[in-house]
Amino acid sequence: PLGAHTPEAVLGSIENELARIRSEPPTPDELDRVRTRLAAASVRRLVSNQGLAFQLVASQATSGDWRETFRLQERMAEVGADDIVEVLDRYFIPEGKTVAILRRSPP
């Protein structure tokens, strides 16, 4: 954390934001803005041969199919606010949380 912010304050902010998203899921406009940014990032990655190669390799490594590179936009378009809340409820739970705070020792 920068400045006077503590790791505990950052953790509290993250937990507050997750709780807010659960109670106020993203609006259709917010989801559209995220989809637009992700689509633009995908296009930028595919502009060069090197970017295309890295993306194809990443898709092959993560999903087992290089063609997933070109299906990702369709899959992202299907994600709705309810899906996001479902992921929060399934994976972002206190029982599954691990927090590590690293502190520098005094000089």
Side-chain angles (χ1 to χ4, degrees), residues 33-56 59 67-77:
R33 282 195 304 270
V34 170
R35 288 184 190 114
T36 299
R37 287 186 200 137
L38 291 171
S42 291
V43 169
R44 283 191 297 273
R45 277 194 307 273
L46 302 178
V47 168
S48 70
N49 288 336
Q50 182 179 12
L52 175 59
F54 281 132
Q55 186 60 52
L56 294 174
S59 292
R67 290 172 289 255
E68 193 59 31
T69 294
F70 306 104
R71 295 184 197 125
L72 185 58
Q73 298 297 349
E74 294 169 12
R75 291 182 46 226
M76 285 190 301

Side-chain angles (χ1 to χ4, degrees), residues 1-37:
L2 297 175
H5 301 287
T6 66
E8 293 81 6
V10 172
L11 178 61
S13 294
I14 291 169
E15 290 173 349
N16 289 341
E17 187 63 16
L18 293 174
R20 187 191 66 76
I21 293 170
R22 279 186 177 99
S23 64
E24 301 170 25
T27 66
D29 286 343
E30 290 171 321
L31 291 173
D32 286 341
R33 282 195 304 270
V34 170
R35 288 184 190 114
T36 299
R37 287 186 200 137

